Amino acid sequence: MSTDKLKLYEERKTRYLKALDCGKPDRVPVVITGAEFIIKFAGFTLQDIYYDPEVNYFKAMDAFLQRFDVDAHFGAPMLWWGGLHDAVGAVYLKFAGRELDVNTQFQYIEGEYMLPEDYDAFIENPTEWILTTFLPRIHKEFTEPGSYRANIALIKGAIARAMELEVLAQAAEKWAKEYGSFTAITGLSKAPFDTLGDTLRGLKGIMMDIRRIPEKVKAAMEVLVPHNIYYGLATAGGDTEFPVFIPLHRGAFPFLNPKQWDEFYWPTLKRVIEGLWERGKRTLFYAEGDWTPYLEKIAELPDKSIVFHVDRTDMDKAKKILGGRFCLKGNVPNSLLSIGKPEEVKDYVKRLIDTYAADGGFIVDSAAVLQADSNPRNVEAMIEAVYLYGKY
Amino acid sequence: MDNELINAVAELDEEKTLFLVKERIKAGAKPLEIVEDCRRGVEIVGRRYNDGTYYLSDLIMSEEILRGVMEILKPYFPPKNPSQGTKIIMGTIEGDIHDLGKNIVIYLLQSAGFEVIDLGVDVEPKVFVENIVKTGAKIVGISVLLTFSISSVKKTVDLIKKAGLRDKVKIIIGGYPVNEKILEYTGADYFENDVVKAVELIKRIAEGKL
């Protein structure tokens, strides 16, 4: 690594880690959750990104990092490699250039891929159930588990995943060496309620289950607690310096009523976060939507165990209830970044910093993952404003 | 007896609701009367959602309970929705496949007696226009979650204008990202993020109060 890039890397890392730890670095860090914005900005189609890891991890990121001086980013624009999912015949995803127009976002086909009568088998042995029942349902190539075709598909899928991780590792090295830049997170996990309510039972399924078969829902989530702790650590390759990304879904207001939230959403999520923290791993609590009614509960977590990402949560209340004990991150509105003017973006960021960042533990980021419609000049204005007004 | 069914729906007691419906059918009650009581129960659910007592999970549950009721009642009456004469077109804009909010609004509108033409998800602008022409609907609801798709909402409004239909319909946009600024940008008439408020808004429009 050239000395100046190494120095930049170290500066940014120190700044970022200090803020995560609720401290006051030399300046407020700015992070960008790029996604589709990066693709459009770099001039590629979504099909290029989904189907060519070279474009996703290298070409698009080069264009992005050359232009935007962020302290940390969220890695390659896309988590999904179409080739991997095609190799195993995924039926729950649709990709640009295959089922969809070359520039249409990937789509997840919501369904009840786990049925109410599957709970017992899942609770008894989740891995076995996933391998023998769930995977065959959502992948054409696994329709007959144990068959020649299914075995080949398993091998193909595993090789594809290993190839992708290898590309990611090479890319991360390049981002550090050439741009002094790094990914803000390592590893991924979920709230047990979301594991069950996203891909397995689906939104409607899980909402019915908590009324019809609440005890089964609880037993299934119980099984998921150690799994989700392990998964968070394993996908981070054991790293404990950076936070693990937990995108939170069904716990946002107003999905669950407070009683349901207290009873179903929170206890197991809390234990996953505490379990990770006991092992030295902090959580990026990516609270998409509005989490204002639940802030008091979230404050029960051990000091510094999460970074609380603010999307539509009331920032005043988040600061009052969580500030000082947890780093806060957010919340430049995406609509402002897409149809606002650069001056408006700057004003917003200035106000954000002036009001909430004075005592440290604050990171500027977009409220939600950036879409293709974000205006590059606005994204630039967001970064400029941090450089301009964010010095401590 | 009537109140018992209304209450069971309002309390989201699925088992009791379905039991009461079967009992009343046995006792010779008219299916439409049963539907009317369920509708009143759903109205209470909507009010409770509005005042913050109920949440989305509760709305989804009431939808499911009503679906169960209709299944029991289906054989007993020709399925014809009582219409207030107001047709409403609803759809999720092109590029977007999120339909939770849209489906709940449709369900609440149907419970209130409206005739809703559901265009589904990922609806192209020209399909909205074609359906306005075909059905003569006076109200169009466009649902959008991804900010990415907001430009298609604008395209739809422009296309409606171009077809000479702009003053014949009221256009409401709904969904997570919509606000004053996006309303202005798209050129729609109203916006709403809250499903129950959206239904109230549509009722006021239908009654000519807006």
Side-chain angles (χ1 to χ4, degrees):
Chain A
M1 208 185 284
S2 72
T3 6
D4 56 330
K5 293 298 172 200
L6 178 66
K7 194 167 153 266
L8 188 61
Y9 179 91
E10 290 300 337
E11 261 174 33
R12 283 172 171 167
K13 195 169 131 184
T14 308
R15 182 178 300 133
Y16 179 63
L17 294 182
K18 184 110 187 191
L20 293 184
D21 231 16
C22 295
K24 242 195 226 183
D26 59 334
R27 158 171 73 66
V28 175
V30 54
V31 172
I32 284 192
T33 315
E36 273 86 356
F37 165 71
I38 299 178
I39 305 167
K40 170 102 183 285
F41 170 75
F44 292 103
T45 66
L46 284 168
Q47 181 182 2
D48 295 333
I49 292 286
Y50 293 128
Y51 280 98
D52 189 348
E54 181 74 20
V55 174
N56 188 33
Y57 289 97
F58 294 102
K59 291 182 182 164
M61 283 302 281
D62 280 339
F64 171 69
L65 290 171
Q66 274 160 19
R67 164 94 175 254
F68 300 99
D69 269 332
V70 285
D71 288 302
H73 54 79
F74 260 65
M78 204 34 66
L79 273 173
W80 317 100
W81 178 23
L84 190 166
H85 296 285
D86 287 347
V88 289
V91 297
Y92 63 107
L93 294 168
K94 286 186 183 175
F95 287 107
R98 196 169 174 86
E99 296 90 351
L100 306 172
D101 179 75
V102 292
N103 257 325
T104 300
Q105 273 183 331
F106 87 95
Q107 292 177 357
Y108 168 72
I109 314 301
E110 170 124 7
E112 287 187 31
Y113 298 112
M114 173 181 173
L115 303 169
E117 51 268 33
D118 290 323
Y119 269 99
D120 291 337
F122 176 83
I123 294 160
E124 176 67 27
N125 188 338
T127 310
E128 188 181 328
W129 179 81
I130 284 170
L131 190 65
T132 58
T133 310
F134 181 63
L135 293 184
R137 272 185 202 154
I138 61 168
H139 297 104
K140 275 201 299 266
E141 299 294 319
F142 290 140
T143 313
E144 291 171 62
S147 67
Y148 171 74
R149 195 177 181 91
N151 289 342
I152 294 289
L154 273 180
I155 295 168
K156 280 197 295 188
I159 290 176
R161 184 72 182 137
M163 283 163 66
E164 195 187 8
L165 290 176
E166 177 57 29
V167 177
L168 171 62
Q170 286 170 10
E173 208 179 307
K174 185 182 176 194
W175 300 334
K177 274 187 182 157
E178 290 182 18
Y179 306 101
S181 178
F182 54 86
T183 311
I185 40 165
T186 51
L188 170 82
S189 194
K190 272 193 174 188
F193 189 87
D194 287 333
T195 308
L196 207 55
D198 284 349
T199 331
L200 294 175
R201 290 287 293 129
L203 175 67
K204 195 163 171 186
I206 193 82
M207 295 301 182
M208 301 296 112
D209 294 347
I210 57 178
R211 286 183 177 273
R212 288 175 178 158
I213 42 171
E215 294 314 315
K216 295 209 171 172
V217 174
K218 285 182 192 165
M221 290 198 294
E222 205 53 44
V223 168
L224 286 165
V225 169
H227 172 271
N228 288 14
I229 294 171
Y230 171 80
Y231 193 82
L233 290 165
T235 48
D239 169 76
T240 54
E241 208 166 20
F242 294 97
V244 60
F245 182 48
I246 303 197
L248 297 151
H249 299 153
R250 315 301 195 203
F253 172 83
F255 277 111
L256 297 171
N257 69 45
K259 196 172 153 286
Q260 291 168 333
W261 198 88
D262 288 351
E263 190 178 345
F264 293 98
Y265 199 79
W266 185 233
T268 48
L269 171 58
K270 191 179 176 204
R271 277 164 56 206
V272 168
I273 292 171
E274 286 170 346
L276 285 161
W277 187 238
E278 274 164 28
R279 290 156 182 84
K281 188 76 172 165
R282 196 192 317 262
T283 293
L284 170 54
F285 196 102
Y286 201 77
E288 280 175 290
D290 181 2
W291 292 68
T292 313
Y294 317 118
L295 289 170
E296 300 280 356
K297 284 277 173 183
I298 295 165
E300 289 170 0
L301 291 167
D303 284 7
K304 300 178 184 179
S305 60
I306 58 165
V307 181
F308 187 84
H309 180 91
V310 178
D311 174 7
R312 293 200 157 190
T313 303
D314 183 321
M315 186 56 107
D316 272 336
K317 289 192 179 143
K319 180 70 187 176
K320 201 165 147 235
I321 298 169
L322 303 177
R325 292 182 50 222
F326 307 96
C327 173
L328 298 178
K329 174 167 146 319
N331 75 338
V332 187
N334 288 49
S335 53
L336 185 64
L337 289 168
S338 60
I339 62 175
K341 294 186 180 70
E343 283 313 310
E344 293 173 311
V345 174
K346 274 192 185 166
D347 288 347
Y348 191 94
V349 173
K350 182 175 189 302
R351 202 170 62 240
L352 206 56
I353 291 174
D354 289 348
T355 322
Y356 305 107
D359 52 352
F362 195 86
I363 295 169
V364 171
D365 190 358
S366 53
V369 175
L370 285 185
Q371 307 277 306
D373 62 338
S374 309
N375 183 344
R377 289 190 49 222
N378 287 341
V379 176
E380 218 161 41
M382 174 175 132
I383 299 167
E384 272 171 30
V386 175
Y387 278 71
L388 216 56
Y389 310 116
K391 288 204 181 67
Y392 282 110
Chain B
M1 176 115 180
D2 287 8
N3 284 342
E4 215 182 343
L5 179 57
I6 297 172
N7 285 341
V9 174
E11 292 301 317
L12 305 171
D13 190 333
E14 183 179 31
E15 225 171 297
K16 194 168 171 192
T17 302
L18 300 183
F19 172 78
L20 288 174
V21 168
K22 284 179 199 156
E23 287 292 293
R24 289 183 56 182
I25 282 286
K26 263 193 243 161
K30 284 199 187 107
L32 266 180
E33 285 169 17
I34 299 176
V35 171
E36 173 58 19
D37 280 351
C38 291
R39 191 193 61 75
R40 283 162 69 189
V42 169
E43 234 173 47
I44 298 173
V45 171
R47 275 209 300 275
R48 289 187 183 166
Y49 178 79
N50 225 2
D51 68 21
T53 316
Y54 277 174
Y55 284 61
L56 264 177
S57 66
D58 303 309
L59 283 186
I60 295 171
M61 191 65 207
S62 73
E63 182 190 359
E64 180 69 10
I65 294 174
L66 211 66
R67 203 186 53 77
V69 170
M70 295 316 277
E71 217 152 89
I72 298 172
L73 293 181
K74 222 182 249 166
Y76 297 94
F77 71 122
K80 215 176 185 180
N81 276 332
S83 168
Q84 299 186 339
T86 307
K87 287 181 190 170
I88 301 161
I89 289 173
M90 296 277 293
T92 300
I93 195 66
E94 77 175 352
D96 202 338
I97 57 163
H98 295 86
D99 61 358
L100 177 68
K102 173 185 71 81
N103 289 349
I104 293 177
V105 170
I106 290 176
Y107 146 75
L108 290 172
L109 285 172
Q110 285 172 338
S111 305
F114 286 99
E115 184 182 342
V116 184
I117 299 116
D118 183 6
L119 303 180
V121 298
D122 194 10
V123 180
E124 282 177 68
K126 72 169 193 299
V127 176
F128 279 101
V129 176
E130 285 163 10
N131 276 279
I132 295 169
V133 174
K134 203 166 80 188
T135 63
K138 299 275 185 287
I139 300 173
V140 180
I142 307 174
S143 174
V144 57
L145 186 123
L146 302 170
T147 59
F148 177 67
S149 290
I150 286 167
S151 57
S152 293
V153 177
K154 183 174 162 53
K155 223 161 75 189
T156 309
V157 177
D158 290 346
L159 211 60
I160 292 172
K161 223 180 270 172
K162 224 171 125 190
L165 298 165
R166 188 62 189 91
D167 54 351
K168 297 200 168 57
V169 291
K170 294 282 186 213
I171 306 169
I172 301 150
I173 54 174
Y176 183 73
V178 300
N179 54 31
E180 274 299 339
K181 220 177 164 86
I182 285 167
L183 180 72
E184 196 184 311
Y185 171 76
T186 56
D189 295 303
Y190 306 97
F191 79 95
E192 189 52 74
N193 311 92
D194 179 286
V195 286
V196 172
K197 286 190 187 138
V199 172
E200 279 167 10
L201 175 69
I202 291 171
K203 276 186 192 162
R204 286 209 307 278
I205 296 171
E207 288 161 6
K209 289 183 186 157
L210 274 177

